[in-house]
Amino acid sequence: MGKIIRLLLASVMVVALFTACSSKSEQAASPSKSASEGEAGPSVEKTKVVFSTGIPDDAWRRALEFFMNTANEKLKEKNIEVVAEYYPSEEEMWKVLPAQIVSGSAPDLIGLNNEGVLEFIINGTFTSLDGLIEEVGYDTSKLDAANVNGWKYEGKQYALPLTTTISALAVNMTMLKNAGIEEAPKTMEDLVKAALAVTDKEKGQYGVGVNLHEFHISQYLHAFGGGWNFGENMNSEGNQEGLQFIVDLFNKHQVAATPAQIGVNGDVDAFASGKVAMTTAGPWYVATLRDKQVDFEWKLVPIPAGTVQKSTLYGWALAMLDSAKNKEAAMEVIAAMLGEESYRYLAEERGDIPAMTSFVPTYEELYPEMKVVLETADTAVAFNYPVSANRFKTDLVTGLESVIFQNRGTVKDLLDKMAEDGYQR
């Protein structure tokens, strides 16, 4: 596990440009508010701490509500209460947050993964937790040391981790076996063969579900030895091969569909619907698919090898905004949310790899579906997005959609244009 977490240090060095506030941001929709269920309504003496994040699915929302409800029980005597403001997505959160900071309506705490956070540290959006950690007496030695260090910059701690995550491929083994295929794909060539065998467009059945999102796109690049390398050498051979592979799944082989084309909201629902046989995934699929009680045999396997076998590593943590109205109370909330109860929930209920080391063996015992995926950790890589991550993500996704669906330009054209920009400002 130490190797898994150490790789997060590279991921946290990803730089994302924090867009300046604009009238467009100010007009963005405000997040919907949901108070954590506590005892009674807040009194005038109670200090409220607002926690915000994008909510990708119901299972993760339930986990966050558990963390907050547990924290509120612990903090009753201190008259501190954490409430949630859920954004529709992480992308929407980053659009709205700049204007909120300026107007004084920003949350106190943010939940986020470390795909691209360094710019938020450099520009002062996040605050150092070091003195605050000592003040509340939170024992960080119970967390994996390398994981904790992965959220440091220049010796200062800017977040405390909940999870570590490694990418995988979710496979509907029932669909494959019905097509005469007994094993999950180990290579991208195997994936194409399996996808061709199971695709039946008349039945609305596809071999591969491809969520055209930077996270999922990156999995294919890594499998061909590519990567974003903080914006350096973006038009590398590995990146060209990885993007072309995705394009070919749609256009040459005609075995792929996006969640929207299938008529669902995301890749998890696409897979759970039984309409796609394979999709890039992660540990959260285990709990979600168990919860949905899907009526087919499934498994998680390592990302198939293109020219190499490379999975992707990242994590999720709690950070405090420098604009937090009461930093001491906000730190009390972090400490209460990151208690043993939360890490036990992650291991036993959620199915995420907990950052508290004492619960990792429990996770491995309860979620054997991830065993073969965890074994790829030693060769896994980080996202390493360039500095101007938001603009980079937009250009990548819209550019690839244009190549696939509108036949505008080529993969090389797209990557050459992105390489020329570099996304360093």
Side-chain angles (χ1 to χ4, degrees), residues 51 53 60 64 111-114 151 160-163 314-318:
F51 163 75
T53 192
W60 186 228
L64 295 177
L112 74 168
N113 68 45
N114 53 349
W151 292 93
L160 289 177
L162 262 169
T163 71
Y314 54 104
W316 206 89
L318 299 180

Side-chain angles (χ1 to χ4, degrees), residues 175-176 179 181 183-185 189-199 207-208 255 277-278:
M175 287 177 70
L176 264 63
I181 301 171
E183 294 186 355
E189 184 179 354
D190 294 339
L191 182 144
V192 171
K193 289 179 180 178
L196 287 167
V198 302
T199 295
V208 190
V255 295
M278 296 168 284

